[in-house]
Amino acid sequence: METLKNKITQEGKVLSDTVLKVDAFLNHQIDAELMLEIGEEFAKRFKDAGITKILTLESSGIAPSVMTALKMGVPTVFARKRKSLTLIDHLYSAEVRSYTKQETNEISISKEYISSNDTVLVIDDFLANGQAALGLMDIVSQAGATLAGFGIVIEKGFQEGGDELRKRGIRIESLANIASLTDGEVMFKEEVAR
Ligand code: 5GP
């Protein structure tokens, strides 16, 4: 997605050879116009997938998920990283090791908001080693729901998460795929032909 790639080039900050900071439009300040375009693009790519629910992880997945949900006319639900005391017995939970924070979180979703009748599109801001994706997949499978695939805003294609999921036959749609962050420069992979 050209507008996203331009935004990354202009406003993203390469913190190291592996970490990109996008606080200017996605992870702290949010560019609502760009989020809407992202939502339209995911909605277009998954329009024939029979999606009934969008699943994400708080907090940075929420903005693109809400816009996608708006465009697809379905609800979105975000997994919480801290347990709500009132919901303790009615949760699907999974462990997720955070790439950027180097800590493990137990993520959870109320059983009320995902069921075996759902076809789920999982959306997240980044795909790196795939830990968040595996945790969300675990929750989808505990609920007996169908996984339609992943909508990823920024994939770091030089880390193994995306390839491992694709090898398992899982559909991944990334709007920007980064080939490398070496020497402080963002290099994109060519968009996969579809
Ligand atoms: P994974 O679980 O795929 O290893 O990492 C995905 C999660 O880690 C994303 O939800 C995102 O919050 C965070 N993350 C991974 N790499 C980056 C990065 O380069 N920049 C930022 N801002 N977040 C990242």
Side-chain angles (χ1 to χ4, degrees):
M1 199 180 124
E2 280 317 305
T3 34
L4 173 65
K5 290 205 261 182
N6 290 338
K7 196 82 173 173
I8 292 169
T9 305
Q10 285 156 17
E11 296 183 28
K13 292 198 170 80
V14 178
L15 292 192
S16 69
D17 285 358
T18 54
V19 178
L20 174 70
K21 186 170 172 171
V22 288
D23 280 12
F25 59 92
L26 179 59
N27 287 154
H28 195 19
Q29 174 169 262
I30 292 173
D31 181 333
E33 202 66 55
L34 179 66
M35 292 306 123
L36 184 58
E37 260 190 71
I38 285 170
E40 282 165 350
E41 184 62 30
F42 283 140
K44 193 167 87 187
R45 295 191 190 193
F46 285 95
K47 73 175 189 311
D48 298 323
I51 307 298
T52 62
K53 192 141 291 185
I54 295 171
L55 180 61
T56 191
L57 187 54
E58 68 175 350
S59 53
S60 293
I62 295 175
S65 291
V66 166
M67 293 306 192
T68 310
L70 178 71
K71 289 289 148 190
M72 297 191 98
V74 298
T76 186
V77 56
F78 63 88
R80 288 185 165 149
K81 288 179 181 161
R82 274 192 205 93
K83 276 191 175 159
S84 158
L85 289 174
T86 53
L87 283 173
I88 229 92
D89 294 328
H90 308 285
L91 298 173
Y92 295 118
S93 300
E95 299 252 298
V96 170
R97 177 98 191 133
S98 163
Y99 180 78
T100 42
K101 300 200 179 88
Q102 296 289 307
E103 61 185 25
T104 301
N105 287 115
E106 189 173 19
I107 63 164
S108 51
I109 283 189
S110 165
K111 291 182 178 172
E112 251 186 283
Y113 301 122
I114 179 165
S115 81
S116 56
N117 296 324
D118 281 316
T119 298
V120 178
L121 166 60
V122 177
I123 285 187
D124 206 4
D125 60 341
F126 274 88
L127 177 60
N129 292 314
Q131 292 304 304
L134 290 176
L136 290 162
M137 272 171 66
D138 189 352
I139 283 178
V140 172
S141 114
Q142 287 175 46
T146 304
L147 177 72
F150 285 83
I152 299 295
V153 180
I154 303 172
E155 177 174 348
K156 290 188 295 179
F158 57 88
Q159 289 173 304
E160 73 267 22
D163 286 345
E164 281 185 9
L165 293 169
R166 288 185 184 92
K167 262 190 238 153
R168 291 164 64 169
I170 295 161
R171 180 176 177 194
I172 314 278
E173 295 285 346
S174 310
L175 303 187
N177 195 336
I178 293 176
S180 88
L181 293 171
T182 36
D183 301 327
E185 203 186 335
V186 182
M187 300 287 286
F188 294 101
K189 281 192 173 181
E190 288 308 310
E191 290 211 309
V192 183
R194 70 179 63 78

